[in-house]
Amino acid sequence: MFNGLALVRELCEHGHQVWILNRGKTKAELPEGVERLYCDRTDHAAMREPLGGRNFDCVFDVSAYRLEDVVLMGEIFREGTGHYVFISSTVIYAASDHLPISEDHPLDRSERQNEYGLNKLACEDYLFELRREHGFPATVVAFSMVFGPHNILPDREQRMFARLLAGRPILIPGDGTTLAQVGYVEDQARALRMLMGKAATFGRRYNLTGADFFSAEGYVDTFSEVVGASADKLFISPGHMDDVFDGRVPLIRAQPNARVDIRTQRRMDSKALNQFMLSCLVQRIAPHLHRWNRSVVFSVERLREDVGWTPEIDFPTAVERTYRWFRDTG
């Protein structure tokens, strides 16, 4: 994941000794001195071999998507680990018109919540219980729409760059006025480095995202300015958005056993695929929380207070840096 790559570089730049564990399927340019451990984390028996018996000052878990993933980590690292940081997501929160959404905001465990969000909540519940009952030094960090170079997910930044460069229409939900925010990947890596080993963060959740907001139309306009291509903006009426979201008007027909979201095991029917695609028109979080008629912004005050971190990269700069990577690497 590109979040992990940015974090590795941030840690190495500040003199930390770093190990990474992954399958080794993709090549990444790593800083000198990084030690690699190889394993598929879904093979729980095999995971115990490279990790068992090792003590770490801090473990950052950026790819745990299911409860069994963190249960295994709790078993392996319960003794001898100084800090365990679990990467969660802001999709866990319930929809609200009272903004910004803080860490004490109600959670959504209803049928509206997607599989990914329910799994993250189950992981959080387990870790908080482990903290209460056994003193396990766990911290939860809820990411919100990480943005930046090396993000290979095609339905986010790259999609907007490609459409603008090809002169294709840009579809904007509703009237384009709802607000959102993203977090820049290097800002977020710095936040993780700063909270590492801080006992004040144990047993707490922290929202992690950017400081500034943009409207749906402002998102498109910023990309258009950076790319230097005029945007052919097409606004989709709220009524039509509702029809597509509820499956009355198919946006796309799912192939048998289609699975778009790599973080879940769920196979999508046409309605679920419609909803997923709608969230990709302009980058935003899950539709149970962020519809075309609702702004969603998150507070990062808890991180400021407990860790001293504050975002440094504004949204236009994030788009500029990401486009430079997109253009230069092809």
Side-chain angles (χ1 to χ4, degrees):
M1 294 180 63
F2 82 121
N3 304 319
L5 182 60
L7 176 58
V8 166
R9 290 171 174 166
E10 173 74 16
L11 293 171
C12 289
E13 286 175 4
H14 286 81
H16 295 287
Q17 187 176 5
V18 178
W19 285 260
I20 65 170
L21 184 146
N22 57 37
R23 296 174 300 171
K25 297 287 188 180
T26 55
K27 187 176 180 180
E29 294 184 9
L30 298 172
E32 185 177 354
V34 173
E35 297 193 37
R36 300 195 67 157
L37 304 173
Y38 296 94
C39 194
D40 183 340
R41 75 170 304 154
T42 63
D43 186 342
H44 289 181
M47 281 283 284
R48 296 179 185 276
E49 182 177 346
L51 295 177
R54 294 178 182 268
N55 295 326
F56 297 101
D57 294 317
C58 187
V59 174
F60 292 98
D61 197 339
V62 301
S63 62
Y65 299 131
R66 285 172 286 278
L67 176 59
E68 54 264 33
D69 295 337
V70 295
V71 170
L72 178 67
M73 295 296 97
E75 293 172 356
I76 293 175
F77 294 121
R78 190 171 302 182
E79 303 295 335
T81 295
H83 194 185
Y84 176 83
V85 181
F86 169 69
I87 304 305
S88 187
S89 169
T90 53
V91 303
I92 63 174
Y93 294 114
S96 176
D97 292 320
H98 182 70
L99 302 175
I101 292 175
S102 71
E103 293 84 351
D104 296 321
H105 187 80
L107 307 174
D108 191 340
R109 301 177 186 270
S110 74
E111 68 282 355
R112 295 183 300 270
Q113 181 62 267
N114 60 27
E115 180 189 358
Y116 172 68
L118 291 173
N119 286 339
K120 287 294 188 181
L121 284 169
C123 293
E124 289 193 14
D125 291 343
Y126 169 78
L127 290 171
F128 289 141
E129 181 180 0
L130 206 59
R131 172 63 184 168
R132 290 191 302 269
E133 296 189 357
H134 302 283
F136 187 61
T139 299
V140 170
V141 181
F143 277 24
S144 183
M145 299 302 292
V146 190
F147 190 107
H150 303 284
N151 185 2
I152 63 171
L153 293 177
D155 56 284
R156 297 193 178 177
E157 301 95 303
Q158 294 195 48
R159 189 175 210 255
M160 192 62 66
F161 292 138
R163 292 188 72 88
L164 284 166
L165 290 170
R168 298 187 66 185
I170 306 298
L171 308 180
I172 300 177
D175 63 3
T177 60
T178 56
L179 300 179
Q181 68 197 129
V182 297
Y184 187 62
V185 64
E186 292 177 11
D187 259 349
Q188 297 192 287
R190 183 170 50 85
L192 293 177
R193 190 231 342 138
M194 291 176 67
L195 66 77
M196 180 173 57
K198 291 192 180 300
T201 70
F202 296 171
R204 308 198 83 192
R205 180 194 302 118
Y206 294 87
N207 294 338
L208 181 52
T209 187
D212 54 349
F213 318 131
F214 49 81
S215 68
E217 185 176 12
Y219 179 96
V220 176
D221 288 343
T222 302
F223 271 75
S224 176
E225 183 175 347
V226 168
V227 172
S230 179
D232 178 12
K233 295 182 284 190
L234 299 179
F235 295 88
I236 309 172
S237 72
H240 192 68
M241 289 290 294
D242 283 328
D243 287 340
V244 176
F245 184 84
D246 294 330
R248 292 186 293 271
V249 175
L251 181 69
I252 186 170
R253 295 192 182 278
Q255 297 299 314
N257 293 323
R259 182 161 68 91
V260 175
D261 193 336
I262 61 173
R263 305 166 301 179
T264 70
Q265 296 300 307
R266 185 166 64 99
R267 303 293 175 174
M268 291 188 176
D269 58 19
S270 291
K271 180 177 178 181
L273 193 54
N274 273 8
Q275 295 177 358
F276 178 84
M277 295 303 293
L278 285 178
S279 70
C280 301
L281 295 182
V282 171
Q283 191 169 352
R284 61 179 61 206
I285 55 182
H288 76 280
L289 174 60
H290 194 171
R291 299 286 283 271
W292 42 94
N293 56 354
R294 172 176 281 121
S295 296
V296 178
V297 296
F298 299 96
S299 169
V300 295
E301 285 305 309
R302 181 175 287 181
L303 262 177
R304 296 183 203 267
E305 294 170 0
D306 289 1
V307 178
W309 173 85
T310 188
E312 293 180 353
I313 306 302
D314 62 18
F315 180 62
T317 303
V319 177
E320 290 169 4
R321 292 186 179 184
T322 307
Y323 181 59
R324 189 181 313 132
W325 163 78
F326 177 87
R327 182 193 59 212
D328 292 349
T329 62

